[in-house]
Amino acid sequence: MRKSALLFLSVTVMATIPSPVWAQQEEYPIIVVPTGEGPFTFPQGYQTPWDQIEIMVTEKMSPNLFVLHGSQGLDRGHPDASGGRVMVLFGPDGVLLVDTQNRQVADKTLAAIRTFTDGPIKVLVNSHVHSDHTGANAFFGNQGALIFAQENLRLDMVTPRRPGGPAPTRDPAGIPVVTYRWDPSAPGEPAITLNMNGEIVDFIPMMPSHTGGDTVVRFRNANVIYIEDFYRNFGFPFAAQSSGGSIQGMIEAIDLFQIIAGPDTWLIPGHGKLIRREDLLPYRAMLVDIVAKVTARRDRGQSLEEVLAANLTAPYEAQGDTQQSRDRFVRAVYAEVRDFPPIVNGRRAMP
Ligand SMILES: [Zn+2]
């Protein structure tokens, strides 16, 4: 009954709005390949078979703003879809990329881009330092991309992992060239705004949240923001604290999104299903609840083992949960309650 009423309504609306407007507002996003839902299991010692992973156009956000993602069921770290999402803005001004996927699938990522544009690869912005988002940076740098990122991301790439230790071996072609900082006095303000291919693209530095060098990328005309990994709907939250991440910062990031995103803005996580800003709220409530419970227990003198054993995340069991994902989350909250080291050169010296 309800369905037929809705259908009638949409037909009426369609008849009264000129068709180009209709196409723009109603056609996108086009979900080409939905993310996998699992459950996924992997044998012990499983290694990701990179040669079997495909990189595909999975979502179209506007006529010239596409999203790439990998196959489901093969990548143990990201079983719902391999690697981190890549966004591609294309047209006469060339190609702008958000993130570059894993190094092992660089050729396939470029091949997927070449199915819809021959334009030169001009600009690359990294949402955060993790290898499923920056792995093919050098490959795309060598294609001609000028690489943008937060200064902390660049520092995290080049700073030794331990004091006095060797610097990570990184191909210089993959290291960001244009850097900017998170400014606590101007939350949500773009550090860089580009006009390309009919879009206005904002690189918005974020507070230390998923890492200390996060950037979200807003496409104003398409009304889309790539929100990377401070939010996830597959497994429990992940703050990469040694790379400057912070659980508290993830809560602040969600609050900022209630301001910088509109109710109809599509938010594109690095992994998992596309969401709207209201979908961030239950996630925020869970974060606040777990932080309060872990804080109370740590203040009472409980050890990390005791807090883990309390299974505080039980009310929030969700898709993609694993013991590893649960424990990593609670461990991060516990570490942040006290003696939380500052970010130095893009890194936090976590115990
Ligand atoms: Zn990711």
Side-chain angles (χ1 to χ4, degrees):
M1 193 60 197
R2 226 177 131 175
K3 201 166 177 185
S4 62
L6 256 179
L7 188 68
F8 173 74
L9 185 71
S10 63
V11 168
T12 318
V13 170
M14 211 147 71
T16 55
I17 296 177
S19 57
V21 176
W22 172 261
Q24 278 236 310
Q25 291 183 339
E26 298 300 327
E27 196 181 332
Y28 294 94
I30 299 168
I31 308 295
V32 183
V33 183
T35 48
E37 299 196 353
F40 301 103
T41 51
F42 297 92
Q44 233 188 343
Y46 179 87
Q47 299 285 327
T48 301
W50 295 108
D51 58 323
Q52 289 177 39
I53 287 173
E54 289 178 60
I55 301 296
M56 307 159 278
V57 175
T58 50
E59 292 95 8
K60 297 182 178 180
M61 305 310 296
S62 85
N64 65 337
L65 180 62
F66 290 4
V67 181
L68 308 179
H69 214 167
S71 316
Q72 63 167 282
L74 292 170
D75 178 348
R76 174 179 244 157
H78 305 106
D80 53 326
S82 176
R85 277 197 174 89
V86 170
M87 293 196 70
V88 189
L89 175 72
F90 59 98
D93 301 323
V95 173
L96 176 148
L97 290 179
V98 184
D99 289 345
T100 57
Q101 263 282 359
N102 286 296
R103 175 183 55 79
Q104 294 91 336
V105 293
D107 288 312
K108 293 181 201 178
T109 303
L110 180 61
I113 294 168
R114 290 296 173 231
T115 62
F116 53 83
T117 177
D118 296 328
I121 312 287
K122 285 221 172 141
V123 174
L124 161 61
V125 56
N126 283 138
S127 70
H128 65 283
V129 73
H130 292 152
S131 58
D132 53 328
H133 296 259
T134 64
N137 262 29
F139 177 91
F140 285 102
N142 285 324
Q143 295 283 323
L146 183 63
I147 308 178
F148 292 70
Q150 264 210 60
E151 183 179 83
N152 272 341
L153 184 152
R154 183 182 179 280
L155 289 169
D156 191 3
M157 276 188 175
V158 300
T159 301
R161 291 290 173 268
R162 353 174 222 99
T169 48
R170 277 273 182 179
D171 187 332
I175 295 173
V177 173
V178 187
T179 60
Y180 46 82
R181 291 182 190 177
W182 152 248
D183 176 358
S185 71
E189 284 302 311
I192 309 274
T193 297
L194 298 181
N195 288 270
M196 274 181 84
N197 301 318
E199 255 300 353
I200 303 167
V201 189
D202 295 316
F203 300 169
I204 303 175
M206 295 295 280
M207 65 289 285
S209 41
H210 179 56
T211 72
D214 290 17
T215 294
V216 299
V217 182
R218 176 169 61 198
F219 299 89
R220 291 194 213 173
N221 294 339
N223 196 16
V224 164
I225 309 178
Y226 184 76
I227 67 167
E228 46 96 28
D229 291 9
F230 73 79
Y231 164 87
R232 57 193 297 156
N233 48 36
F234 197 91
F236 280 101
F238 174 34
Q241 292 164 322
S242 58
S243 286
S246 156
I247 296 283
Q248 196 58 45
M250 289 162 78
I251 296 171
E252 292 165 21
I254 291 165
D255 291 342
L256 180 59
F257 263 80
Q258 302 310 311
I259 299 164
I260 66 172
D264 302 326
T265 307
W266 282 106
L267 306 182
I268 307 197
H271 313 271
K273 293 188 179 63
L274 308 194
I275 59 163
R276 310 273 203 180
R277 72 178 187 193
E278 67 178 11
D279 298 315
L280 294 168
L281 297 177
Y283 185 79
R284 184 191 193 282
M286 173 190 63
L287 286 165
V288 168
D289 179 45
I290 299 294
V291 167
K293 285 178 175 156
V294 172
T295 303
R297 284 169 181 268
R298 188 161 186 186
D299 286 349
R300 289 207 302 270
Q302 286 199 358
S303 68
L304 173 61
E305 287 64 36
E306 286 171 307
V307 175
L308 288 172
N311 200 16
L312 299 173
T313 53
Y316 302 105
E317 300 298 300
Q319 208 179 32
D321 293 348
T322 59
Q323 195 61 44
Q324 190 260 352
S325 162
R326 277 189 285 271
D327 289 354
R328 179 175 67 182
F329 171 43
V330 173
R331 205 174 285 125
V333 176
Y334 189 89
E336 211 163 306
V337 168
R338 102 164 66 104
D339 308 326
F340 193 42
I343 302 173
V344 178
N345 288 331
R347 308 278 304 163
R348 265 189 225 282
M350 296 304 291

